[in-house]
């Protein structure tokens, strides 16, 4: 049975190259977190976002719902909205509805997952006075296309929600903000969602829920490699692990090999011997202090115009303005 039809040769060769390079690099073995989000992984992430232990998405949404009018009031008219990694786009509704009360609004979700993009177009395409044009492209490529296509008068509001910035290492996060800034004009805005530091036990539970949804999300990465790269990972020989790294102030997700084992990844031309107890590091989720965000903004060509913090789950929406 061919489980995953019609994957392009280019996708398979890029995925295989990335898997090979990250699993064979000296020291800690890794897998790139961007590959967590195939169709199954994206569905599991949607399930994570409604788990009682994972307050992040609810806090993000609550802030947008509560402060959308206030956020929009701080922006000039007319404004176009581009969203980096829109996912299903559910929480963006509040911003679009607030904008549509004062102007016809163009919304450009930028998303590499075609499934998520289709869900987003369906979810938000029916709001009155909102036109949705999706870009199935990497973040910065998509943003460049939107920015180049606008007229002189249009201001751009870029949404980067859900603390997706936290999945970059801190230096890479700064680099990403700087690259985003280079595409923008002075006065354009970036609404940046950031998950804030909280009690370590709460943070760990958010990434290791008792129902095992996050474990399934993490293990699906191995299942995806089996499906797409003809590998033979035995998922029952791995265990999901979430750790708090005190020095780096981040959650790290790992997959621990429960025994010495050999895995073949045919499309990556790789035979991997894993020792008992060895881990593969799959994702980092950095957490922030509120005062770090204006500093990040200043380092990367923005100023932090305002910050809204949720009262139930420490999380901040930060409105950054391009200087
Ligand atoms: C997408 N991203 C912001 C999530 C996070 O919390 O860092 C990904 C995630 N990984 C496990 N649970 C959620």
């Amino acid at each position: 049975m061919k489980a995953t039809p019609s994957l392009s040769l280019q996708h398979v060769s890029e995925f295989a190259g990335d898997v090979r390079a990250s699993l064979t690099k000296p020291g800690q073995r890794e897998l790139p977190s961007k590959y967590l989000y195939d169709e199954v992984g994206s569905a599991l992430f949607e399930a994570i976002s409604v788990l009682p232990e994972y307050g992040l998405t609810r806090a993000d949404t609550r802030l947008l719902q509560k402060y959308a009018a206030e956020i929009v009031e701080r922006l000039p008219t007319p404004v176009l909205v581009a969203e980096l990694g829109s996912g299903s786009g559910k929480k963006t509704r509040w911003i679009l509805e607030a904008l549509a009360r004062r102007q016809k609004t163009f919304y450009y979700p930028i998303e590499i997952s075609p499934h998520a993009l289709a869900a987003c177009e369906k979810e938000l395409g029916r709001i009155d006075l909102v036109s949705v044009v999706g870009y199935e492209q990497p973040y910065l490529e998509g943003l460049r296309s939107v920015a180049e296509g606008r007229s002189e008068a249009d201001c751009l509001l870029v949404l980067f929600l859900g603390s997706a910035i936290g999945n970059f290492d801190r230096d890479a996060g700064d680099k990403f903000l700087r690259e985003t800034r280079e595409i923008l004009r002075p006065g354009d805005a970036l609404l940046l969602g950031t998950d804030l530091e909280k009690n370590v036990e709460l943070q760990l539970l958010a990434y290791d829920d008792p129902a095992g949804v996050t474990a399934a999300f993490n293990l699906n990465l191995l299942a995806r490699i089996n499906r797409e790269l003809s590998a033979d990972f035995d998922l029952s020989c791995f265990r999901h692990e979430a750790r708090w790294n005190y020095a780096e102030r981040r959650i790290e997700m790992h997959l621990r090999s429960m025994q010495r084992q050999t895995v073949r990844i045919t499309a990556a031309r790789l035979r991997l011997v894993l020792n008992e107890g060895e881990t593969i590091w799959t994702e980092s989720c950095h957490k922030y202090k509120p005062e770090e965000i204006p500093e990040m903004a200043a380092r990367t060509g923005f100023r932090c115009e305002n910050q809204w913090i949720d009262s139930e789950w420490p999380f901040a929406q930060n409105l950054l303005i391009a200087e």
Side-chain angles (χ1 to χ4, degrees):
M1 187 185 73
K2 196 159 183 295
T4 316
S6 72
L7 286 173
S8 76
L9 277 179
Q10 193 199 347
H11 164 83
V12 172
S13 95
E14 269 177 32
F15 188 16
D18 287 350
V19 164
R20 189 184 163 80
S22 49
L23 284 178
T24 55
K25 79 183 231 327
Q28 172 71 59
R29 294 187 199 275
E30 290 179 31
L31 282 169
S33 62
K34 66 177 177 182
Y35 293 112
L36 288 163
Y37 300 90
D38 66 343
E39 189 178 3
V40 178
S42 299
L44 286 166
F45 178 65
E46 286 291 311
I48 288 173
S49 70
V50 293
L51 287 172
E53 295 80 12
Y54 189 79
L56 191 157
T57 310
R58 279 185 297 282
D60 194 16
T61 312
R62 250 189 322 269
L63 288 170
L64 292 172
Q65 181 170 12
K66 194 162 170 195
Y67 297 111
E70 212 180 289
I71 293 168
V72 159
E73 253 172 44
R74 292 172 183 263
L75 305 171
T77 308
V79 62
L80 310 177
V81 184
E83 180 163 11
L84 309 179
S86 61
S88 66
K90 269 185 209 131
K91 56 198 173 195
T92 309
R93 167 175 295 275
W94 309 107
I95 293 283
L96 297 180
E97 285 182 348
L99 273 173
R101 267 178 235 124
R102 71 174 202 200
Q103 61 167 82
K104 165 118 182 81
T105 298
F106 290 90
Y107 169 59
Y108 305 96
I110 300 164
E111 177 58 69
I112 45 168
S113 155
H115 309 285
L117 196 58
C120 175
E121 285 169 334
K122 194 166 161 209
E123 171 82 25
L124 299 171
R126 284 191 291 261
I127 307 177
D128 270 356
L129 291 179
V130 173
S131 289
V132 182
V133 181
Y135 282 74
E136 196 184 316
Q137 283 183 338
Y139 294 158
L140 296 178
E141 256 175 61
L143 185 60
R144 229 168 262 124
S145 312
V146 174
E148 283 165 8
R150 65 172 154 161
S151 73
E152 271 306 301
D154 292 326
C155 168
L156 197 52
L157 166 64
V158 180
L159 306 176
F160 196 32
L161 303 174
S163 205
I165 186 84
N167 298 131
F168 289 95
D169 283 351
R170 288 182 203 270
D171 284 350
D174 274 14
K175 179 168 177 277
F176 183 77
L177 291 181
R178 237 173 255 123
E179 286 170 349
T180 302
R181 169 62 191 89
E182 274 164 24
I183 299 171
L184 302 180
R185 296 199 289 241
D188 285 339
L190 170 65
L191 187 65
L192 182 70
T194 49
D195 201 24
L196 302 178
E197 273 184 61
K198 50 191 74 63
N199 171 292
V200 171
E201 235 170 87
L202 268 182
Q203 286 182 159
L204 283 169
L205 259 183
Y207 292 88
D208 194 6
D209 61 280
V213 183
T214 311
F217 171 70
N218 200 7
L219 284 161
N220 175 59
L221 181 48
L222 303 184
R224 178 180 187 182
I225 295 173
N226 285 349
R227 289 190 292 268
E228 296 184 16
L229 302 182
S230 307
D232 61 359
F233 280 105
D234 178 349
L235 271 57
S236 69
C237 297
F238 290 87
R239 187 166 300 158
H240 164 70
E241 202 172 286
R243 303 180 189 161
W244 175 245
N245 181 325
Y246 282 85
E248 302 292 342
R249 292 180 293 122
R250 66 185 178 211
I251 292 281
E252 291 175 6
M253 294 206 318
H254 289 253
L255 290 164
R256 184 176 290 280
S257 171
M258 300 313 288
Q259 60 188 53
R260 187 177 165 83
Q261 52 183 315
T262 303
V263 181
R264 271 178 199 76
I265 308 174
T266 308
R269 297 186 320 282
L270 188 63
R271 181 178 167 273
L272 195 66
V273 179
L274 292 164
N275 288 323
E276 180 179 346
E278 192 177 348
T279 72
I280 303 173
W281 180 12
T282 53
E283 195 182 40
S284 296
C285 314
H286 293 80
K287 305 300 166 189
Y288 302 88
K289 299 182 194 305
E291 62 274 19
E292 257 178 276
I293 313 304
E295 294 164 6
M296 267 163 78
R299 285 198 300 272
T300 56
F302 293 92
R303 74 184 151 79
C304 186
E305 159 86 10
N306 205 37
Q307 186 173 66
W308 294 267
I309 297 182
D310 188 59
S311 51
E312 287 179 46
W313 178 274
F315 184 98
Q317 296 294 1
N318 310 276
L319 184 64
L320 312 189
I321 305 294
E323 296 263 62

